Amino acid sequence: MSELHKFLFEGLPVRGMLVRLTDSWQEVLRRREAAGDYPPPVRELLGEMAAAATLMQANIKFNGSLILQVMGDGPVKLAVAEARPDLSFRTTAKVIGDVAEDARVEAMLNLHGKGRCAITLDPADRLPGQQPYQGVVPLHDDQGLPLQNVSEVLEHYMLQSEQLDTRLVLAANGEVAAGLLIQRLPTKGEGNLEGERRGTTPWGSGDEDQIGQSEAFNRIAHLAATLTREELLTLDADTILRRLFWEETVRRFEPLTPSFGCSCSRERVRNMLTGLGREESESILEERGDIEIACDFCGQQYHFDAVDVGEMFTPGRDQPPASASLQ
């Protein structure tokens, strides 16, 4: 069963989380296989992003979706992982070219230095006029050198956008997607969207002048960095935490249960078709006989025949909705 463990280091301004997505990640892969599998490096990329998005969602008090995106100019145009407050997640990618078996972030997304990472917080209960919070960073470090791993990208994001020291260890294969997050606790601000409304970032103030200065964080982060990919993928949470932090006093909380979940629905697809308009929808019908749309995230197929399309555009239903999107 998939699990997420939160913990604190007693007396130190450091917190941590460990996630292991097992059955939930296998469900993602099973659904994707039915629609055509991704190349192994893309599968691994999405698994690491799913683990990271789940960790980051669990790290903030926020009623809405956290959407992690990496986009660029390589054979992978876009990769997305979304996590919601109940820790349900979904993920997808748009692959437009051949991906080498040993491809990493640069080769997949940042061939010509145009790659970007974006994190969006989309509130479920937006206030009037409120826009989603979004932070964007390039896929290279402060010296302009390309970053090769999702963990490096997100550590760079947290420093640049949130001014928080963060250490991430991520790994994924065909069975497990896992991640360990260690973070220096901010000493002021609010670690949620309310803080953003008051002018701080969603993670709160990271105390820029404290970056790299916490001996406690540096020590714990160094221990976390010794965790190997194989250990992260094969060992249970108790064993990992005991091996890494046996000299520390760790206070753990009740584990949470992430799960696969998709928010697509027939009604959302109907709204999208209504947004296309009668002429475009009927043109597709004339060409193909019916309209078949698959969700990019979960693979669910939605079918609409001539009767369905005619019903969409009966009087009183001609106006497209304000937002016509599967997302």
Side-chain angles (χ1 to χ4, degrees):
M1 183 176 67
S2 299
E3 289 186 335
L4 185 142
H5 300 262
K6 292 185 177 184
F7 52 94
L8 293 172
F9 294 87
E10 293 284 8
L12 302 178
V14 184
R15 62 185 167 193
M17 282 188 290
L18 176 65
V19 67
R20 287 178 51 79
L21 306 174
T22 52
D23 55 335
S24 55
W25 174 236
Q26 292 163 23
E27 176 67 10
V28 170
L29 296 181
R30 184 188 67 78
R31 287 172 175 265
R32 182 62 215 185
E33 186 177 7
D37 206 357
Y38 292 117
V42 178
R43 254 194 343 256
E44 183 175 322
L45 171 72
L46 290 176
E48 292 184 359
M49 290 178 63
T54 304
L55 287 169
M56 297 177 78
Q57 173 65 267
N59 204 25
I60 55 176
K61 296 177 181 178
F62 173 63
N63 181 27
S65 295
L66 183 147
I67 304 165
L68 168 61
Q69 297 173 282
V70 285
M71 61 212 84
D73 52 8
V76 180
K77 185 175 182 180
L78 174 70
V80 183
E82 177 185 0
R84 290 177 289 280
D86 62 356
L87 298 189
S88 61
F89 70 91
R90 60 181 188 167
T91 184
T92 189
K94 185 172 185 180
V95 182
I96 60 174
D98 294 332
V99 178
E101 290 186 4
D102 59 350
R104 300 166 76 187
V105 167
E106 180 185 11
M108 286 189 281
L109 291 140
N110 199 27
L111 284 179
H112 303 99
K114 296 181 180 179
R116 297 289 183 271
C117 170
I119 295 179
T120 304
L121 296 180
D122 189 8
D125 51 355
R126 286 194 208 175
L127 299 174
Q130 181 186 8
Q131 297 298 314
Y133 169 88
Q134 185 176 74
V136 182
V137 295
L139 299 183
H140 58 71
D141 64 16
D142 293 338
Q143 286 72 49
L145 298 175
L147 300 171
Q148 300 296 348
N149 303 308
V150 173
S151 57
E152 295 174 337
V153 170
L154 293 175
E155 288 174 359
H156 182 62
Y157 175 92
M158 296 306 295
L159 277 179
Q160 294 295 313
S161 185
E162 313 302 335
Q163 289 83 53
L164 278 176
D165 293 298
T166 303
R167 178 56 53 89
L168 264 171
V169 184
L170 300 169
N173 58 20
E175 300 292 328
V176 182
L180 172 67
L181 179 146
I182 300 296
Q183 194 168 71
R184 175 176 58 84
L185 285 165
T187 59
K188 58 184 179 179
E190 295 186 45
N192 53 37
L193 193 63
E194 187 66 24
E196 189 270 332
R197 291 171 182 162
R198 297 178 184 178
T200 67
T201 68
W203 279 266
S205 169
D207 301 330
E208 186 173 3
D209 58 346
Q210 296 297 312
I211 291 176
Q213 302 303 308
S214 171
E215 292 184 7
F217 170 81
N218 291 339
R219 184 180 75 255
I220 298 298
H222 176 74
L223 293 172
T226 66
L227 181 65
T228 68
R229 180 179 187 274
E230 187 67 18
E231 289 171 336
L232 183 56
L233 290 173
T234 59
L235 300 180
D236 61 75
D238 292 342
T239 302
I240 289 174
L241 295 180
R242 185 170 61 251
R243 285 193 180 186
L244 291 177
F245 309 122
W246 63 275
E247 290 186 308
E248 308 294 334
T249 303
V250 178
R251 177 156 60 98
R252 295 175 58 178
F253 301 92
E254 284 295 318
L256 304 173
T257 307
S259 62
F260 166 76
C262 190
S263 58
C264 73
S265 66
R266 185 176 178 84
E267 185 62 28
R268 289 192 175 195
V269 178
R270 180 195 294 270
N271 288 344
M272 184 192 70
L273 291 173
T274 305
L276 286 177
R278 178 192 292 268
E279 184 176 345
E280 181 68 19
S281 297
E282 291 182 345
S283 174
I284 297 173
L285 270 178
E286 184 176 348
E287 179 182 347
R288 302 182 181 178
D290 66 356
I291 299 176
E292 179 179 287
I293 296 176
C295 174
D296 286 338
F297 288 92
C298 70
Q300 177 68 44
Q301 299 278 340
Y302 296 94
H303 299 269
F304 296 84
D305 59 19
V307 174
D308 296 323
V309 173
E311 182 187 24
M312 291 179 205
F313 297 102
T314 54
R317 301 191 67 165
D318 287 351
Q319 298 303 314
S323 176
S325 172
L326 280 175
Q327 309 304 319

